[in-house]
Structures are given as structure tokens and as C-alpha cells.
Amino acid sequence: MKAIAVEREGDRPVVVERERPTLTAGEALVRTLRVGVDGTDHDVIAGTHGSPPGGADHFVLGHEAVGVVEEAGETRFSPGDVVVPTVRRPPGESNEYFERGEPDMAPSGTYHERGILGEHGFMAEYFTSPEEFLVRIPDSIADVGFLVEPLSVAEKAIDLAYASRSSFDWAPESALVLGNGGLGLLTLALLDDAYDYDRLYCLGRRDRPDPTIDIIEDLGATYVDSRETPVDAVAAEHEPMDLVFEATGYAKHAFETIEALAPNGVGALLGVPEPWEFEVDGGRLHRELVLQNKALVGSVNSNVRHFAAAAEALPSLPAEFLDVLVTGVYDLDDFEAAFEDDDTTIKTAVQFSSYEERR
Ligand code: NAP
Ligand code: BGC
Ligand code: ZN
């Protein structure tokens, strides 16, 4: 079967030939429909995040997958079920985090991530997975099922942020999403659709006309240009934010978020920056966190519960939003286009087989 991988010492994805995987006990064989591409994949290709399985001469990419069960084995699934795999796997032996169903809370060294860290990804015509790492989704969202994983990441971060405000009567009205990439825009649409914010904002660094600015404004949110209004000036320029969701990976934003927050507000940090030394007024930020009851939570990955929430939320996101968010779905013949990263590209996917063909 064909797979998309980065070869050892390679700096771009190529098509490789691999054996089709065979079932072991407790697993299902899944025929891949589509696999999305995100900022993390670009980091993996560039070698700045994650690492291939030990000893492998190539690394199969992809962690945002949707597929159809081809062979159900002894699992609870039936052939034809549309499923999405979670990303983390035990690094050999299982551990308490996986046993609790919370591998997203596992510390470094106690997990692999398919397509990112230590285990091949899903960008192949078929993949196998233990049933506990597969989530069934409605057939009606098979085409956009590759958005369930990034949406699950947003669900988890929002869940953690809200949990940190659960000890008092918190009624958030304003939210700011930092980043107009795939994750930022999906989160903005989720906050608009499933939460009760009066005012939403989204930060980027693009000139008009730009498709992401159109998306932001079509969702009824306000575009904030970080070149004109840095994150620590947002409160004065617009308003203090009850929730900030950082999805830029720009390290200064983690600290500037504290200044953007309203009293009692919470910032969820999701970016994965490389080391970068810069000056901050630590005393001021510390004081601000304490005296204004502000919180910052870091959030990574997501578990089955968040995937289920995402699968429930996805069908109610506006179809017009999804149409413009997904700027390209490419067959294997043209897969390179899915990895292009310019201002016309928002969310892309590689298609391994079409859902219609399968029925
Ligand atoms: P992405 O497509 O690279 O999006 C990042 C966006 O942030 C881009 O649109 C970029 O704008 C914008 N941006 C970067 N620096 C900025 C600045 N200083 N001011 C304004 N805008 C800025 O990546 P993604 O897939 O959406 O993911 C977003 C981040 O979350 C990445 O850092 C990724 O590694 C991380 N992530 C984390 C998790 C997790 O579990 N914690 C999961 C998924 C992704 P331009 O395009 O104009 O440069
Ligand atoms: C993935 C997460 C993963 C994180 C860190 C993200 O792009 O969506 O599942 O945990 O990267 O590697
Ligand atoms: Zn991702």
C-alpha cells in the first residue's frame, strides 16, 4: 500500500510503499479516507517537533485521520463504520494514564503520538488501531471527519479552562482566539456555535484581502492585527477578555495573554514554540495573576471524551464555514499540494479513498 512519509534526512514528504498492516487481537483494520495537515505536521517535517520510531528509515506522517472500518476483528465495530483514531499510544507497556482513558495527561516519556512522536502516522491507505483508540462518528460527517482531531484539541483546552473557573460564578462574555490557522479558526467557530459569548475576536498578522479575515468576519467576530494591536494592548484597544485561546505558537503571546485577560479570566495556551529568550516583567505578571484571580492553563492532545464532544459539535458548525476553511483535499497523485503553506491555504487534507466509493 502507499503511504506518505518523510525519509531519514529528508525534508519533504514523499510517497513510500509499505506492507498493508494485519490485524492483531483487539484491533480493527481501517481503510483511510482523508488525513488533515496542521502546523504540527509542518514542524514534524522540519524536524523541530517529535521524532520517528526508533530505527525507522522513514516516518509516516499524519495524525488527523478519518476512515472506514474494513475488518472489525473482535472489536465492537462493524465493517463500514466511519471512525476517527486518537493520537496517543502507550510506548510499549501501558501505564496508568492510558488505563484511566486519559493519555492526554501523560507526562513526556510515557506516550507515543502517531505521526508525531515514536510511532508511524495515519497517512497510508490502511491503518490498524486498538478499538479503545477509535471513535465512531456519524456517516454524514465522513468527508470532514479529519477535523474531529483538531476540534477535540480545542474541546479539551476549553474544558480545562472552564474547569479552572468552576469554583465561582463565572459568566464569560468576551473571548479572543490568538491565531488564524486551522486550529484558531475551528476554535472560533466552536466558541461561536456552542458557547454563549457576546463578543468574539481573532488575532492574525495578515493584510486584507485575506480569506482568514473573511472567515473571522463572516462568523461575526472582530479581526485583530497583531502588528497594529499587540496582544498586551488588546484590553485597552478593544476590551479585557474573559477567555483567551492561544493557537499561534508565538511564545510572547503566553505572557501577553495575562495582560489581555479581564479580572477572573483564563488563558488556554496550546502553541508549541521552540526555545526563545526574551524579557518579561515577571513581577508585574505574577502580581496581575494573583490580584486579579487570573489563570493560565497549558493544554495538549485530547482523549476519547473530547473526540466524542468534537464529533457531536462538528455537524452543527455552519457548512459555509467548513467550505471555506478546507481550502483543498488532494489525491495521492497531487499530495504535495496539501503541504503547501501560503496565505491562500488554511486547512488541507490528503484523500486516500473516497467515502462514496466505499458504499
Ligand atoms: P498554523 O496553521 O501554523 O497557525 C498558526 C497561525 O498563527 C498562523 O495563521 C499564523 O499566521 C498565526 N500567527 C503566528 N504568529 C503570530 C503573531 N505573532 N501574530 C498574529 N498571528 C500569528 O498552526 P495550527 O495548526 O493552527 O496550530 C496552531 C498552534 O497550535 C501551533 O503552534 C501548533 O503547534 C499548536 N497545536 C497545539 C496542539 C496541542 O495539542 N496543544 C494541537 C494542535 C496544534 P500566518 O499564517 O499569517 O503566519
Ligand atoms: C496534535 C496533538 C498532539 C500535539 C503535540 C498536535 O498537533 O493535534 O494530538 O498531542 O500536536 O504533539
Ligand atoms: Zn494536530
Side-chain angles (χ1 to χ4, degrees):
M1 67 169 188
K2 296 202 176 346
I4 297 175
V6 184
E7 291 176 309
R8 197 201 296 259
E9 313 295 335
D11 59 0
R12 66 196 162 83
V14 293
V15 173
V16 297
E17 202 52 57
R18 282 174 60 85
E19 293 231 339
R20 182 168 148 170
T22 47
L23 280 188
T24 59
E27 289 187 329
L29 176 72
V30 180
R31 182 179 188 120
T32 310
L33 294 173
R34 294 176 170 183
V35 184
V37 175
D38 77 351
T40 302
D41 295 304
H42 289 286
D43 292 344
V44 169
I45 294 165
T48 58
H49 181 62
S51 58
D57 61 1
H58 65 269
F59 188 13
V60 178
L61 296 168
H63 62 277
E64 301 180 348
V66 57
V68 175
V69 173
E70 178 95 358
E71 287 173 30
E74 300 297 305
T75 67
R76 67 183 186 283
F77 296 106
S78 305
D81 286 355
V82 181
V83 291
V84 170
T86 63
V87 176
R88 287 198 172 172
R89 298 290 179 276
E93 287 282 286
S94 189
N95 58 53
E96 56 181 304
Y97 300 96
F98 284 87
E99 274 144 32
R100 282 207 296 271
E102 294 176 343
D104 56 311
M105 300 309 289
S108 299
T110 62
Y111 62 83
H112 283 162
E113 290 186 336
R114 290 200 59 169
I116 301 175
L117 183 72
E119 212 156 309
H120 287 302
F122 302 115
M123 280 202 181
E125 289 178 277
Y126 295 88
F127 63 87
T128 51
S129 173
E131 68 172 326
E132 67 266 33
F133 301 126
L134 292 173
V135 178
R136 187 164 179 205
I137 66 166
D139 299 0
S140 57
I141 55 167
D143 284 352
V144 286
F146 62 92
L147 298 175
V148 168
E149 195 278 341
L151 207 48
S152 75
V153 162
E155 292 277 3
K156 171 184 169 178
I158 295 170
D159 201 20
L160 273 185
Y162 273 63
S164 81
R165 310 289 79 190
S166 65
S167 67
F168 66 99
D169 187 8
W170 189 54
E173 293 177 359
S174 55
L176 167 66
V177 174
L178 306 181
N180 50 344
L183 181 60
L185 293 174
L186 271 171
T187 303
L188 189 69
L190 181 68
L191 291 172
D192 182 49
D193 187 67
Y195 293 80
D196 203 17
Y197 285 91
D198 294 337
R199 295 165 313 277
L200 291 171
Y201 300 81
C202 186
L203 179 113
R205 53 179 175 190
R206 303 263 186 95
D207 293 327
R208 295 168 196 273
D210 178 83
T212 68
I213 302 176
D214 293 341
I215 291 180
I216 292 165
E217 293 179 344
D218 287 346
L219 287 170
T222 301
Y223 173 61
V224 180
D225 185 334
S226 70
R227 297 165 302 179
E228 288 161 13
T229 312
V231 174
D232 55 6
V234 165
E237 193 68 31
H238 294 280
E239 61 175 312
M241 302 293 161
D242 295 315
L243 176 75
V244 175
F245 185 103
E246 179 271 319
T248 54
Y250 186 79
K252 285 187 179 171
H253 287 168
F255 302 91
E256 294 173 353
T257 287
I258 300 168
E259 316 247 30
L261 288 172
N264 305 340
V266 55
L269 308 179
L270 285 88
V272 186
E274 289 191 62
W276 178 20
E277 287 185 22
F278 48 83
E279 280 188 15
V280 293
D281 184 341
R284 208 168 102 94
L285 297 177
H286 185 167
R287 184 184 167 94
E288 186 67 14
L289 281 167
V290 171
L291 293 183
Q292 306 290 354
N293 288 296
K294 294 179 179 180
L296 283 183
V297 295
S299 181
V300 68
N301 196 248
S302 50
N303 66 43
V304 163
R305 189 163 50 82
H306 310 115
F307 274 71
E312 209 176 307
L314 185 53
S316 65
L317 296 188
E320 320 79 72
F321 163 74
L322 296 174
D323 281 351
V324 283
L325 180 83
V326 179
T327 48
V329 176
Y330 303 96
D331 289 333
L332 262 179
D333 301 345
D334 197 17
F335 77 92
E336 288 98 340
F339 293 93
E340 269 161 30
D341 193 12
D342 58 35
D343 285 5
T344 61
T345 306
I346 308 176
K347 191 74 196 174
T348 59
V350 179
Q351 172 156 297
F352 288 87
S353 61
S354 98
Y355 184 55
E356 298 309 324
E357 273 168 28
R358 316 254 51 262
R359 280 182 290 191

